[in-house]
Amino acid sequence: GERDHHYVFINYASMLAADHIFFNSSYHLDSLLTALPRFLNHFPEFNERQSIDAIRAKSSVLPVGVALPTTDRSDTTNSATTDAPPLILWNQRWEYDKNPEAFFAALFAMQAARLPFRLALCGQQYGKRPSIFDTALAKLADHIIHIGHADRPRYRQLLQAADIVISTAHHEFFGISIVEAVAHGAFPLLPRRLSYPELLPADFHQSCLYDNQDDLQAHLRRALTQPQETAAIARRLAPTMQRFNWTRLAPLYDNHLRMLLNGRFSADSRSAVIGN
């Protein structure tokens, strides 16, 4: 059937009513404003296309604040300091929009090449999970050290132990789980699209961003066969995630809210936050 536009209209009406609109990333802002004309064209008359410029003028990017460690990777244990194979982490929802088929296709290729690795499959499941997980749980059983939702202490252990974190997602407006893993010292392999290029400084794009499935597998093969090089990049990258630390972003949030309340906007101002 046709897509239900009810919630789209709620977001649109909220943005019209808001005094200011915060987006999680530039990709988030640009993708919504690019799609908005197509949505408004569904209305045969009075489609308010002129409202897009007004929405853009009162929009800005305010990244998500994440609870991050302040210790460096030297306090953790991973395969670079042990004889264990590298640990690959999946720490996203077990959902179709996270594209697990591409993730497991890369791992199956590494398995076929007889490259050693361990695998932690974290993340919550809602309803029926994609069938590829059942295939992978059987095919990669000898590699898997964790399956399913992890409580906070266990999740922290896996973050600290992870060598590589991979995303193959079709949908991502920010990427909290990736920020968490990279801050703990994991080497990221991320698609060169969605919000991911914004998470990493440009100096790391060549090493950490991939363009297609073949490129992902080439990057992953290098990461598994060059563990010392991979760990060195991860150590340099980890501190850059501190710009998303809630302790640093909280004052910025406070400042924005103070501006809303202290004369910059009307006394009954409202602000719409388009969430992740």
Side-chain angles (χ1 to χ4, degrees):
E2 294 186 3
R3 182 181 295 272
D4 183 356
H5 293 289
H6 177 70
Y7 292 106
V8 181
F9 187 82
I10 290 175
N11 270 341
Y12 171 62
S14 297
M15 289 188 291
L16 288 178
D19 293 294
H20 199 79
I21 310 157
F22 298 115
F23 290 83
N24 292 340
S25 63
S26 294
Y27 167 77
H28 193 190
L29 187 158
D30 293 338
S31 62
L32 187 143
L33 293 180
T34 299
L36 198 52
R38 295 194 298 272
F39 167 69
L40 294 178
N41 283 340
H42 283 88
F43 300 94
E45 57 183 354
F46 303 112
N47 58 27
E48 303 296 334
R49 286 283 299 268
Q50 74 281 359
S51 67
I52 298 174
D53 288 339
I55 288 173
R56 184 183 296 275
K58 59 179 178 178
S59 296
S60 59
V61 175
L62 187 59
V64 177
V66 186
L68 296 177
T70 56
T71 57
D72 61 36
R73 189 57 185 256
S74 63
D75 294 332
T76 68
T77 300
N78 66 345
S79 69
T81 57
T82 70
D83 294 329
L87 176 60
I88 298 172
L89 176 67
W90 167 285
N91 61 339
Q92 303 184 59
R93 290 178 286 106
W94 293 30
E95 297 276 353
Y96 293 96
D97 68 316
K98 298 305 181 182
N99 192 16
E101 290 82 3
F103 174 78
F104 288 120
L107 296 192
F108 295 157
M110 299 304 105
Q111 183 185 48
R114 299 185 180 278
L115 295 178
F117 63 89
R118 294 172 296 150
L119 176 61
L121 293 172
C122 298
Q124 290 184 306
Q125 304 176 48
Y126 303 93
K128 184 178 180 181
R129 69 192 186 194
S131 61
I132 187 62
F133 280 96
D134 297 321
T135 302
L137 290 175
K139 191 170 183 178
L140 299 174
D142 292 341
H143 300 269
I144 297 174
I145 68 165
H146 178 91
I147 299 172
H149 176 70
D151 61 22
R152 177 54 59 175
R154 176 59 174 161
Y155 183 52
R156 191 181 304 277
Q157 290 176 351
L158 293 170
L159 287 173
Q160 292 172 342
D163 297 284
I164 301 168
V165 63
I166 300 174
S167 175
T168 48
H170 290 312
H171 173 93
E172 187 60 80
F173 287 136
F174 182 71
I176 292 174
S177 63
I178 297 300
V179 169
E180 289 178 323
V182 175
H184 280 82
F187 175 81
L189 289 177
L190 311 172
R192 197 187 304 271
R193 52 185 171 78
L194 307 176
S195 60
Y196 293 119
E198 295 179 55
L199 296 183
L200 309 182
D203 290 348
F204 295 92
H205 284 191
Q206 183 174 351
S207 299
C208 302
L209 300 182
Y210 63 85
D211 296 305
N212 51 49
Q213 187 69 19
D214 289 341
D215 198 24
L216 166 59
Q217 292 176 193
H219 275 70
L220 181 54
R221 186 176 296 107
R222 182 178 181 87
L224 293 174
T225 57
Q226 304 290 334
Q228 298 302 326
E229 175 185 296
T230 299
I233 294 172
R235 282 194 298 271
R236 297 198 306 272
L237 182 55
T240 70
M241 295 298 104
Q242 290 301 318
R243 70 188 189 280
F244 301 121
N245 197 322
W246 175 242
T247 60
R248 296 191 181 187
L249 282 174
L252 183 60
Y253 274 74
D254 289 342
N255 184 58
H256 278 288
L257 295 174
R258 192 176 299 113
M259 291 170 62
L260 286 166
L261 294 171
N262 292 340
R264 181 67 63 88
F265 303 103
S266 62
D268 62 342
S269 61
R270 297 177 300 277
S271 177
V273 179
I274 310 302
N276 191 13

